[in-house]
């Protein structure tokens, strides 16, 4: 990716003040307040860090879980995500046969080797399964035929296939010897997230002691009925060392649950899209390899064609999650934005954790608030403008 020096003026997303940002060689060289005599800011857009999605299954008809991948698919997804303000992401490979998982991981690794855009845009791979709960409800839409207990030798083969790119693994600590597996992952730099679980509070506590540090889409991938207390949702909320990811699209969780997670977890609450391949496509009826016939509504809800009360995955990106959280007064704009950028970067120890500061990667977006909507205008990756809305 060619990198060119650039300067821009915009309103800082967190302070609300006009700033001048100088980008050189792909990093932010300086960020300074605009002088008082030049404070006509009515035409300035808002500048914020690029979004970092820890869990994305696909986009615009492309699916990280259908192999073989079409030629150049991975890089195409990364490029398309720029129009959603996503400058880094973790492609998510879910429960499947051993060979299908390996093929998906090898394909992502090969794309990173062949395409600099894919290499720069993929911060790691999120392996969601197959070491999850086999139980209905907790398993979600994952294929029960391929669910299995943690296997360190198998995981190492997959990690080798990925070129060492698996950075997050979602599992359920209900399996025997889960703690030992979690400890090995942690020792080898892989973040362990608890999800799709039927684990007891004691098993969750043991997992946290072994090194688990995240909850995958907390409140989803769960039983419809469970003991009021204790249960695995309360336990994850109560564990101070667990960061919580939530899907804030307005369909997966009611506002009351989002509010509780934000209050309890504070700076440890993060937003993910968990978007499936139908995200970014027009409303209509589609065929999904997981849900069969599904409907994507104009409002962005994805549900089974024969039952609108059963979700068929998430079809909304992080921008929509930020919109929902701010429109429902669950968080201020700067906090909501950080949940999907600075916090996710900091949690995964990415260079972009520095946000809008000198020396940080120049992964930026410019946007405007238009009523209840966020209108993205420009995206920068490593200081290079990679998306410009045509009607600007």
């Amino acid at each position: 990716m060619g990198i060119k020096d650039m300067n821009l003026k915009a309103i800082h997303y967190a302070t609300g003040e006009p700033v001048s940002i100088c980008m050189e060689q792909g990093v932010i060289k300086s960020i300074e307040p605009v002088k008082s005599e030049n404070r006509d800011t009515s035409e300035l857009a808002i500048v914020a860090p690029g979004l970092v999605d820890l869990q994305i299954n696909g986009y615009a008809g492309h699916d990280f879980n259908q192999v073989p991948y079409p030629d150049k698919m991975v890089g195409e997804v990364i490029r398309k995500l720029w129009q959603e303000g996503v400058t880094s992401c973790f492609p998510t490979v879910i429960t499947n046969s051993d060979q299908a998982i390996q093929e998906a991981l090898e394909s992502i690794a090969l794309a990173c080797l062949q395409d600099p855009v894919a290499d720069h845009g993929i911060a790691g791979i999120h392996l969601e399964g197959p070491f999850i709960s086999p139980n209905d409800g907790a398993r979600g839409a994952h294929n029960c035929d391929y669910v299995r207990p943690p296997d360190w030798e198998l995981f190492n083969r997959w990690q080798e296939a990925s070129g060492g790119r698996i950075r997050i693994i979602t599992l359920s600590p209900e399996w025997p010897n889960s703690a030992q597996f979690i400890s090995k992952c942690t020792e080898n730099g892989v973040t362990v997230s608890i999800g799709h679980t039927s684990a007891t509070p004691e098993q969750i506590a043991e997992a946290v002691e072994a090194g688990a540090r995240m909850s995958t889409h907390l409140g989803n991938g769960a039983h419809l009925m469970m003991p009021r207390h204790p249960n695995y949702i309360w336990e994850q909320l109560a564990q101070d060392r667990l960061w919580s990811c939530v899907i804030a699209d307005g369909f997966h969780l009611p506002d009351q649950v989002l509010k509780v997670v934000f209050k309890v977890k504070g700076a440890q609450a993060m937003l993910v899209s968990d978007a499936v391949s139908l995200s970014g496509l027009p409303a209509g009826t589609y065929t999904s390899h997981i849900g069969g016939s599904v409907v994507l509504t104009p409002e962005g809800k994805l549900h089974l064609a024969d039952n609108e009360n059963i979700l068929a995955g998430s079809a909304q990106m992080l921008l929509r999650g930020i919109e929902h959280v701010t429109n429902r007064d669950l968080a201020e704009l700067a906090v909501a934005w950080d949940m999907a950028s600075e916090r996710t970067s900091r949690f995964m120890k990415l260079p972009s954790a520095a946000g809008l500061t000198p020396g940080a990667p120049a992964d930026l977006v410019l946007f405007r608030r238009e009523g209840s909507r966020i209108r993205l205008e420009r995206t920068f990756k490593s200081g290079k403008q990679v998306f410009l809305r045509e009607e600007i």
Side-chain angles (χ1 to χ4, degrees):
M1 294 168 56
I3 297 175
K4 179 165 72 168
D5 296 349
M6 185 175 295
N7 292 277
L8 60 86
K9 289 184 173 63
I11 302 297
H12 194 290
Y13 80 111
T15 67
E17 294 296 318
V19 293
S20 176
I21 299 178
C22 175
M23 298 179 282
E24 291 186 1
Q25 298 300 309
V27 301
I28 299 174
K29 181 182 180 183
S30 65
I31 178 167
E32 303 289 344
V34 173
K35 294 181 179 179
S36 58
E37 62 267 24
N38 297 319
R39 287 179 67 93
D40 182 10
T41 62
S42 58
E43 298 301 315
L44 294 182
I46 301 170
V47 62
L51 300 175
V52 178
D53 199 339
L54 301 183
Q55 188 175 8
I56 181 166
N57 306 280
Y59 182 70
H62 299 298
D63 195 334
F64 291 125
N65 290 285
Q66 280 195 297
V67 294
Y69 288 2
D71 188 40
K72 300 182 180 180
M73 183 200 85
V74 176
E76 185 173 349
V77 172
I78 300 305
R79 289 170 172 87
K80 285 183 176 293
L81 288 175
W82 292 334
Q83 68 191 22
E84 298 286 351
V86 176
T87 52
S88 295
C89 70
F90 289 73
T92 302
V93 176
I94 71 168
T95 301
N96 209 329
S97 69
D98 295 356
Q99 181 56 38
I101 289 175
Q102 177 153 334
E103 187 173 343
L105 297 171
E106 288 173 342
S107 298
I108 295 172
L110 181 61
C112 289
L113 293 174
Q114 295 180 339
D115 184 350
V117 167
D119 190 39
H120 294 156
I122 293 175
I125 297 172
H126 183 162
L127 182 60
E128 185 186 1
F131 312 136
I132 58 172
S133 176
N135 297 333
D136 291 346
R139 192 182 68 254
H142 291 238
N143 191 326
C144 61
D145 292 340
Y146 301 123
V147 172
R148 56 185 298 163
D151 183 326
W152 181 245
E153 182 180 342
L154 177 60
F155 175 78
N156 277 325
R157 291 207 303 269
W158 286 336
Q159 184 67 291
E160 183 178 358
S162 76
R165 290 177 175 83
I166 301 174
R167 295 285 312 280
I168 304 171
I169 183 169
T170 291
L171 55 75
S172 172
E174 68 197 72
W175 294 99
N177 303 315
S178 291
Q180 293 93 317
F181 182 87
I182 293 169
S183 294
K184 290 179 179 178
C185 286
T186 302
E187 291 166 3
N188 285 273
V190 178
T191 295
V192 175
S193 187
I194 298 172
H196 290 285
T197 186
S198 297
T200 65
E202 292 76 18
Q203 289 170 328
I204 290 172
E206 184 182 30
V208 172
E209 194 62 33
R213 288 296 176 265
M214 192 172 93
S215 296
T216 294
H217 50 51
L218 186 65
N220 295 115
H223 294 89
L224 293 177
M225 301 286 289
M226 66 180 71
R228 60 181 178 176
H229 49 70
N231 62 54
Y232 49 78
I233 293 179
W234 283 116
E235 184 64 28
Q236 289 178 80
L237 281 171
Q239 285 287 340
D240 293 334
R241 285 177 284 182
L242 285 181
W243 292 52
S244 291
C245 295
V246 291
I247 305 169
D249 60 357
F251 306 114
H252 277 74
L253 293 173
D255 291 348
Q256 299 95 321
V257 174
L258 291 172
K259 185 175 183 178
V260 169
V261 173
F262 295 164
K263 281 184 173 291
V264 172
K265 289 302 181 180
Q268 293 176 311
M270 300 182 289
L271 302 183
V272 294
S273 72
D274 197 18
V276 299
S277 62
L278 298 179
S279 57
L281 297 183
T285 300
Y286 296 90
T287 299
S288 165
H289 69 96
I290 293 179
S293 182
V294 299
V295 174
L296 177 58
T297 70
E299 296 75 27
K301 179 180 180 180
L302 183 65
H303 63 79
L304 297 183
D306 59 0
N307 190 338
E308 65 180 18
N309 294 316
I310 299 181
L311 296 176
S314 168
Q316 297 298 295
M317 304 303 293
L318 286 174
L319 284 175
R320 302 291 84 81
I322 295 170
E323 281 181 353
H324 180 79
V325 167
T326 54
N327 291 337
R328 304 294 289 185
D329 294 326
L330 299 172
E332 297 295 327
L333 174 63
V335 174
W337 198 279
D338 280 346
M339 288 184 194
S341 59
E342 186 272 339
R343 286 187 193 174
T344 47
S345 293
R346 178 159 50 89
F347 178 72
M348 292 306 299
K349 298 179 174 60
L350 304 179
S352 50
L356 299 185
T357 59
D363 294 354
L364 315 173
V365 297
L366 294 178
F367 66 92
R368 297 180 191 273
R369 295 300 299 268
E370 295 183 348
S372 63
R373 301 305 303 269
I374 294 174
R375 183 176 181 271
L376 190 72
E377 293 190 350
R378 302 163 74 184
T379 301
F380 294 84
K381 177 64 179 177
S382 299
K384 178 186 177 183
Q385 181 173 285
V386 292
F387 170 72
L388 173 66
R389 187 168 294 280
E390 293 180 358
E391 57 265 36
I392 294 178

